[in-house]
Amino acid sequence: MNNDIDALRRRFPWLQVQISATEYLGPEYYERLLKPYCFGGRTDLEILRQWLTAEKADYGDAPVLEIGPGPGRATSVFLEAVGRRDLRLVDLSQQMITYCKRRFRDEQRLTFVRCDALDFLRQSQQRFGLGFSLWSFSHSIHRAIQMLGSRAGEEMAAEAIRTLFVRVLEPGSRFLLIHFDPDRK
């Protein structure tokens, strides 16, 4: 039995990682783990780049919001595609924030907020001209469901999403969400 478990841990290193309610797998692990996600022959990052370029004229002067930057995959696309725009990055993981601060240490346009995404959206008084989240929004939803139970967690997520579109985003702003489909095989 132990040999089987050891073999699984060697094959899937993430099985050896223990996480807390505020920290998850480390940024270096995500950098190794993440592969190009393709949709219709385009990667998630190509979709984001095209979307940012197409939306450039529409987001006024307000800063841009990124929910869950993780190790900064989407952040790097934003920085290349969009000139002179401030980006607020919201992540619950201090290790992800530290990694991004180091990765983008020379970039003055970034402001980091350590907070759960749902809490941030529900409490934010700042308005944004554009926003995006690639793959990470579900972490906050799952965390809320785990901590509060299904009904209360779902209600909290619904409130945060409603607040995002009613109060957090400027009128006419857009938000790109790339989210996994748990039912897709």
Side-chain angles (χ1 to χ4, degrees):
M1 177 79 153
N2 277 345
N3 288 338
D4 292 339
I5 292 172
D6 290 339
L8 284 171
R9 287 183 177 146
R10 280 191 302 279
R11 185 170 174 204
F12 305 106
W14 57 268
L15 290 173
Q16 298 176 56
V17 177
Q18 293 188 6
I19 59 174
S20 69
T22 59
E23 293 295 337
Y24 30 92
L25 300 171
E28 293 85 2
Y29 182 80
Y30 275 107
E31 290 283 54
R32 287 191 320 270
L33 171 76
L34 295 174
K35 60 192 180 315
Y37 295 100
C38 292
F39 305 92
R42 296 184 305 156
T43 69
D44 56 345
L45 297 181
E46 290 168 338
I47 292 168
L48 174 63
R49 181 175 284 107
Q50 181 181 14
W51 185 77
L52 287 168
T53 303
E55 297 299 323
K56 206 183 289 190
D58 294 329
Y59 39 74
D61 294 328
V64 178
L65 173 64
E66 180 181 2
I67 295 177
R73 291 175 69 244
T75 307
S76 64
V77 171
F78 172 85
L79 293 171
E80 292 169 10
V82 179
R84 297 188 313 264
R85 296 301 312 217
D86 291 335
L87 178 65
R88 174 79 38 100
L89 299 100
V90 177
D91 203 306
L92 182 59
S93 170
Q94 183 60 54
Q95 61 184 334
M96 293 297 186
I97 290 173
T98 300
Y99 185 86
C100 278
K101 282 181 175 180
R102 193 169 44 248
R103 179 176 179 181
F104 304 113
R105 67 181 147 270
D106 296 329
E107 186 55 64
Q108 301 299 310
R109 296 181 280 167
L110 305 181
T111 303
F112 296 89
V113 177
R114 182 173 185 229
C115 189
D116 175 76
L118 299 183
D119 292 335
F120 177 83
L121 292 172
R122 291 169 54 235
Q123 299 165 6
S124 180
Q125 297 304 309
Q126 185 168 10
R127 299 197 55 140
F128 296 91
L130 191 72
F132 59 93
S133 181
L134 274 62
W135 305 109
S136 66
F137 198 72
S138 62
H139 292 301
S140 293
I141 295 171
H142 294 152
R143 181 174 180 268
I145 290 170
Q146 183 181 23
M147 292 175 60
L148 304 173
S150 292
R151 185 179 182 103
E154 289 171 10
E155 288 173 2
M156 182 179 180
E159 177 189 351
I161 292 167
R162 189 171 26 262
T163 301
L164 169 65
F165 291 104
V166 172
R167 189 181 74 220
V168 173
L169 291 174
E170 293 279 354
S173 297
R174 290 169 176 66
F175 192 89
L176 175 69
L177 174 68
I178 296 182
H179 183 69
F180 75 96
D181 181 351
D183 296 324
R184 187 171 181 189
K185 306 235 184 307

